[in-house]
Amino acid sequence: MTKEQVLKKYFGYDTFRPLQSEIIDTILAKQDCLVLMPTGGGKSICFQVPALVFDGLTLVISPLIALMKDQVQALQANGVSAAYINSTLSGAEQRDIETRCRSGELRLLYISPEKLLSPNYLDFIKTLRVTLIAVDESHCVSTWGHDFRPEYTQLHILKKTFPEVPMVALTATADRVTRKDILKQLGISEAKTFIASFDRPNLGLSVLPGRNRLKVIQQFIAKRSNESGIIYCLSRKNTEEVAEGLRKLGIRAMHYHAGIDAQTRSEVQDAFIKDEIQVMVATIAFGMGIDKSNVRFVIHYSLPSNVESFYQEIGRAGRDGLPSDTLLFYSFADIITRKEMIQNSELPDNMKEVQLAKLDRMKQYAESEICRRRVLLSYFNEDAQKDCGNCDVCRNPPVKFDATILTQKALSGIARTNEKVAMGLLIDILRGAQNRNVFEHNFQTLKTFGVGKELKYEEWADYITQMLNSGIIDIAYDERHSLKLNAVSWQVLKGEKKVPLVRFEPYEVKKARQEEEMPREKSKKEVIKDALFDRLRVLRKKLADEQNLPPFVIFSDATLSDMAQKRPINKIQMLAVSGVGEQKFRQFGEKFINEILDFVRENSEGGKTRIAKGFTYTETLDLYQKGLSVEDIAMRRNLSTVTVISHLVKLHEEGNDINLRDLIPSYEYNQIIAAAMRLNMQKGDALKPLFEDLEGLYDYGKLRIAIALWDV
Ligand code: ADP
Ligand code: ZN
């Protein structure tokens, strides 16, 4: 089979994604390669397709038991003979798999590095006909990577043992150093490196100020009632509170953190994967090795410590390529918390500096006034060609104004209090607040007291934060967060430097606008599609439960969406849906077709179809399959028999099981075809000359049937 045939037959896809094709060709030419692709980029296809084009066994080295299990499950569901060997298997299970390896029945064997390198195991593997070796999560070989695994450093033995077998190393995260390390450690220095774009255009990016977080989350989820999502929190306690808050509102939410016992953790995770829990509220302990493709949103309750983690976490949304949302809550207090965590950590000073610098990049993302995707991509050394149009900044570019005078007021307030006050007290002074704190220090006598009355507290807070962010003011965390002047402050005070700031927008306005932006008016067609999608989703869940599989293993959201769009009602149409391969069709095709037919039936009234014109064929087919004659169908549907026949001919051409022969006696067929040949007709020519030649003996319906059956 060619690689295209394998892709279609087993995975149900028509085309390769960027780079997949080149990578597979390289592997098929027996060259080693290194593949860098973001999570959800489609790495697995890169070795699974050549595994099936080759006729031997493909070894897949994978570090995580959960991942192995998921991938093997997904392959089996596609009718591919695959298995995994790791420490969780019994001796008997393992022997069974080894037998299948020897007989050549098994095409992909997933194996943990520990198992592979255990005594004598390689000797066994050597006896097999290995045609490809894939090293998944290959950044684990590098001490530079964030997930180093000592066993991985022994893997160089593979290339030595199988010098002729092509090896492909895959990873979603690898900077230049790690990349070099992977090649060196695996002994594949000649490998061709493929770096896919790290852009995930289907992920919408937005940031909101960290206020009323729980309430905002509730509203956010209320608009996504059936969609899976993850909320990342900083502390364990936080996850429990947020989950509790959501449950009170009837949202199926659970918390997850490293403090929960392993048994419960795995149950909760399982329930999430099976769509029984809608929202997982978790610390960063959650997500590694989760292959759930239909996560529709990821929310960060507080600021992550660096861009890598952030990108990896939001990357768990939308792996199926469908639009998904990400939301980050951000406040200055979060930055302070994070900074304190770093300062108080056990890290050596130089590492602290690195961490602080990384935090700073994260802050830049949160405060960005340019396209947020540009900020992310530039972090990964990628140059975005244009603004993305799918982030909050692109949708609503910030408006700036000259804030020099306003800034001078704040700076002079800081100067006159001898740089000893924190933000809250400074705002009280500027606004002329009559409170104890102010009187205690006699601040009501200052020249700056009340010079900023015209602005509300939250406006000042916003502007001072911007001043801090743009380096016009410093903050001394070790002096109870008092604000300090620096060289830039003095330039501004002396009138040597102008200060542009982003116009404050009340929080409610900002939030309301952001939420409005997301869902557009849906067209009638989309409403129907969504209704059908929901039906198919329910069916998927039912089938998944029957087979004890995660729903997305049966069909991904992307596949269901394509199905709801195309509404296939026969085999050919069903196989044209992206993600429906032959095995999936055999197992589930008919059930989904029946569901679609039911949906159509329920949504039509009498003869006229209420929902969409495209359904007219479906309805005719439905009645035909129930055994109604052409005349009965015509009567029932209030159509002419000629129209019904034209439907049946079209359905026949599309591959439906329609016996046109039954609709025309053979002498009539012979007579019509004889006339057609006399006239030198071709299939597809207009029927009028034929009709006239036969002097109206047969109506157009009959002619159409005869020509459709005509074997030229
Ligand atoms: P990764 O391992 O890089 O995170 P996966 O291999 O799990 O990504 O692929 C992510 C999703 O994209 C899966 O649902 C997969 O079936 C789908 N996918 C991969 N390649 C294609 C393709 N050529 N066409 C359509 N969908 C694809
Ligand atoms: Zn953008």
Side-chain angles (χ1 to χ4, degrees):
M1 263 194 286
T2 65
K3 62 178 197 292
E4 285 82 9
Q5 286 166 333
V6 167
L7 185 71
K8 184 72 190 161
K9 177 173 166 139
Y10 291 100
F11 302 93
Y13 300 135
D14 288 318
T15 48
F16 287 102
R17 290 203 183 139
L19 285 190
Q20 282 179 335
S21 197
E22 290 90 321
I23 294 164
I24 293 169
D25 286 340
T26 310
I27 296 173
L28 292 177
K30 304 214 160 110
Q31 274 181 283
D32 301 329
C33 44
L34 170 63
V35 173
L36 280 84
M37 264 189 200
T39 308
K43 281 186 290 300
S44 323
I45 293 282
C46 296
F47 61 86
Q48 290 170 348
V49 167
L52 294 166
V53 176
F54 286 140
D55 53 4
L57 177 74
T58 292
L59 277 186
V60 186
I61 319 297
S62 172
L64 294 163
I65 291 175
L67 268 186
M68 275 189 206
K69 201 177 136 211
D70 287 353
Q71 289 219 358
V72 167
Q73 209 169 39
L75 282 168
Q76 287 171 345
N78 279 326
V80 177
S81 169
Y84 60 82
I85 286 198
N86 60 35
S87 51
T88 63
L89 293 192
S90 70
E93 284 171 318
Q94 194 176 314
R95 275 189 299 282
D96 175 51
I97 289 168
E98 287 164 7
T99 313
R100 291 167 63 204
C101 285
R102 263 188 230 109
S103 73
E105 185 258 309
L106 208 65
R107 307 305 307 278
L108 288 106
L109 178 68
Y110 283 69
I111 186 165
S112 61
E114 297 91 308
K115 183 70 205 171
L116 179 74
L117 301 165
S118 63
N120 304 330
Y121 214 75
L122 209 55
D123 289 334
F124 162 67
I125 301 282
K126 258 195 274 186
T127 64
L128 305 172
R129 217 167 80 73
V130 176
T131 41
L132 172 63
I133 300 172
V135 181
D136 209 0
E137 311 288 340
S138 60
H139 55 274
C140 294
V141 305
S142 174
T143 44
W144 295 98
H146 56 81
D147 197 23
F148 174 58
R149 290 178 184 243
E151 318 86 64
Y152 260 66
T153 56
Q154 302 301 311
L155 289 178
H156 57 84
I157 196 155
L158 275 172
K159 196 70 206 175
K160 292 204 188 88
T161 316
F162 300 99
E164 305 297 326
V165 177
M167 177 181 274
V168 50
L170 308 108
T171 174
T173 40
D175 47 51
R176 221 161 277 138
V177 197
T178 313
R179 221 184 295 161
K180 255 172 83 180
D181 225 19
I182 294 174
L183 297 180
K184 192 171 132 221
Q185 299 272 2
L186 294 178
I188 50 169
S189 51
E190 301 293 306
K192 205 163 159 188
T193 301
F194 295 90
I195 305 176
S197 166
F198 271 67
D199 194 9
R200 298 278 310 278
N202 62 320
L203 300 184
L205 307 170
S206 48
V207 178
L208 273 177
R211 260 175 272 158
N212 303 323
R213 299 178 204 211
L214 192 56
K215 199 160 159 228
V216 177
I217 291 175
Q218 288 160 357
Q219 291 164 351
F220 182 95
I221 296 175
K223 293 196 174 144
R224 295 164 176 79
S225 56
N226 280 317
E227 302 183 352
S228 274
I230 305 173
I231 302 175
Y232 281 109
C233 298
L234 195 55
S235 71
R236 296 176 180 184
K237 193 157 156 274
N238 215 196
T239 63
E240 292 168 16
E241 289 164 358
V242 173
E244 172 74 31
L246 293 177
R247 276 199 301 273
K248 277 194 186 135
L249 289 157
I251 296 167
R252 286 166 297 132
M254 281 297 281
H255 63 269
Y256 182 107
H257 56 65
I260 300 174
D261 67 274
Q263 167 80 18
T264 314
R265 252 186 314 173
S266 105
E267 280 167 16
V268 171
Q269 178 170 319
D270 205 48
F272 180 63
I273 287 176
K274 292 193 170 151
D275 289 347
E276 269 143 27
I277 290 174
Q278 188 197 348
V279 183
M280 190 68 118
V281 190
T283 59
I284 51 168
F286 179 75
M288 256 302 246
I290 302 278
D291 227 345
K292 185 174 164 67
S293 72
N294 63 338
V295 175
R296 294 268 72 88
F297 61 87
V298 169
I299 298 176
H300 279 85
Y301 195 86
S302 23
L303 194 76
S305 56
N306 58 57
V307 177
E308 285 101 332
S309 314
F310 174 68
Y311 205 58
Q312 193 170 37
E313 284 150 19
I314 63 171
R316 295 188 179 125
R319 290 180 69 152
D320 51 18
L322 294 186
S324 307
D325 292 313
T326 74
L327 172 61
L328 166 68
F329 286 106
Y330 172 65
S331 77
F332 210 71
D334 286 355
I335 290 277
I336 295 172
T337 312
R338 282 284 183 192
K339 280 200 170 144
E340 282 169 352
M341 279 168 70
I342 297 170
Q343 303 289 12
N344 299 335
S345 70
E346 306 277 292
L347 292 172
D349 280 354
N350 58 342
M351 284 302 282
K352 281 186 185 168
E353 258 166 53
V354 172
Q355 298 298 323
L356 287 171
K358 289 196 165 201
L359 178 62
D360 211 51
R361 298 293 297 270
M362 194 58 231
K363 179 165 162 267
Q364 281 168 17
Y365 170 82
E367 286 166 0
S368 179
E369 287 162 16
I370 62 162
C371 171
R372 289 196 211 274
R373 200 171 311 270
R374 277 182 185 269
V375 178
L376 284 180
L377 291 177
S378 85
Y379 186 86
F380 296 108
N381 300 314
E382 221 177 288
D383 195 18
Q385 296 302 312
K386 52 181 182 4
D387 287 352
C388 77
N390 192 19
C391 74
D392 51 353
V393 179
C394 279
R395 286 187 293 248
N396 264 290
V399 184
K400 292 207 171 191
F401 72 107
D402 180 359
T404 311
I405 294 178
L406 186 148
T407 307
Q408 284 168 337
K409 286 180 183 171
L411 295 177
S412 110
I414 297 171
R416 283 171 203 278
T417 50
N418 298 320
E419 307 180 29
K420 286 218 162 38
V421 297
M423 181 149 78
L425 191 48
L426 175 68
I427 296 176
D428 283 346
I429 296 166
L430 292 168
R431 299 188 66 240
Q434 316 265 345
N435 63 31
R436 209 184 62 188
N437 227 344
V438 167
F439 294 134
E440 221 164 65
H441 297 89
N442 233 1
F443 286 150
Q444 76 279 11
T445 60
L446 291 178
K447 233 182 138 182
T448 37
F449 189 72
V451 293
K453 272 205 271 297
E454 70 283 6
L455 296 186
K456 292 206 196 73
Y457 187 94
E458 52 177 348
E459 289 175 79
W460 270 117
D462 184 84
Y463 291 136
I464 294 174
T465 306
Q466 289 190 49
M467 293 172 207
L468 277 163
N469 294 337
S470 43
I472 297 167
I473 305 177
D474 286 344
I475 186 164
Y477 297 109
D478 49 352
E479 292 176 38
R480 286 199 252 106
H481 303 149
S482 53
L483 301 174
K484 305 279 174 191
L485 300 179
N486 59 27
V488 185
S489 322
W490 287 109
Q491 284 179 326
V492 176
L493 275 172
K494 286 186 205 145
E496 292 165 10
K497 192 179 164 74
K498 285 208 176 306
V499 182
L501 292 181
V502 175
R503 173 76 66 199
F504 171 79
E505 193 178 35
Y507 178 66
E508 288 304 320
V509 174
K510 191 173 193 156
K511 199 193 78 203
R513 206 201 42 224
Q514 281 217 356
E515 279 295 294
E516 262 166 34
E517 277 163 17
M518 299 188 178
R520 315 160 276 113
E521 266 306 301
K522 279 186 190 161
S523 69
K524 207 168 150 198
K525 236 183 166 155
E526 284 171 313
V527 173
I528 295 167
K529 188 188 151 187
D530 288 354
L532 179 54
F533 180 89
D534 273 345
R535 286 275 294 260
L536 300 178
R537 202 169 42 73
V538 172
L539 173 64
R540 174 178 70 175
K541 174 69 181 142
K542 189 176 137 247
L543 295 172
D545 286 348
E546 278 167 20
Q547 311 215 5
N548 196 23
L549 283 174
F552 61 85
V553 169
I554 294 195
F555 285 130
S556 71
D557 276 14
T559 298
L560 285 198
S561 167
D562 198 34
M563 205 181 282
Q565 173 86 37
K566 293 185 174 141
R567 297 192 296 255
I569 49 167
N570 59 44
K571 180 170 181 183
I572 293 181
Q573 292 173 351
M574 188 54 110
L575 284 172
V577 171
S578 169
V580 183
E582 289 182 8
Q583 174 67 18
K584 294 265 174 88
F585 178 79
R586 266 195 296 280
Q587 260 194 296
F588 309 115
E590 204 171 304
K591 297 199 171 79
F592 280 85
I593 287 177
N594 285 338
E595 191 70 30
I596 292 168
L597 287 171
D598 279 350
F599 175 82
V600 171
R601 231 170 271 143
E602 285 162 30
N603 283 284
S604 39
E605 289 161 355
K608 296 235 164 26
T609 308
R610 177 161 52 97
I611 43 180
K613 270 219 207 95
F615 279 134
T616 184
Y617 289 101
T618 318
E619 273 194 69
T620 298
L621 178 68
D622 188 33
L623 295 171
Y624 174 83
Q625 285 173 339
K626 281 189 182 147
L628 269 70
S629 68
V630 171
E631 288 71 25
D632 286 346
I633 298 175
M635 202 138 70
R636 184 81 78 85
R637 296 211 52 207
N638 212 0
L639 298 169
S640 72
T641 50
V642 175
T643 306
V644 171
I645 286 174
S646 75
H647 286 179
L648 294 175
V649 168
K650 175 116 192 284
L651 289 161
H652 170 81
E653 284 162 0
E654 282 177 353
N656 290 286
D657 188 11
I658 293 194
N659 201 346
L660 293 181
R661 282 258 173 223
D662 283 355
L663 301 177
I664 189 168
S666 53
Y667 71 90
E668 293 189 4
Y669 170 81
N670 291 338
Q671 198 176 358
I672 294 170
I673 296 304
M677 286 164 78
R678 208 166 47 236
L679 292 172
N680 255 333
M681 261 183 83
Q682 308 277 328
K683 255 184 137 112
D685 284 355
L687 295 176
K688 196 159 178 244
L690 184 61
F691 182 78
E692 285 168 356
D693 187 74
L694 288 161
E695 299 177 335
L697 192 56
Y698 300 111
D699 65 22
Y700 278 97
K702 282 274 162 65
L703 299 184
R704 200 161 282 166
I705 295 174
I707 297 297
L709 285 168
W710 189 16
D711 240 349
V712 254

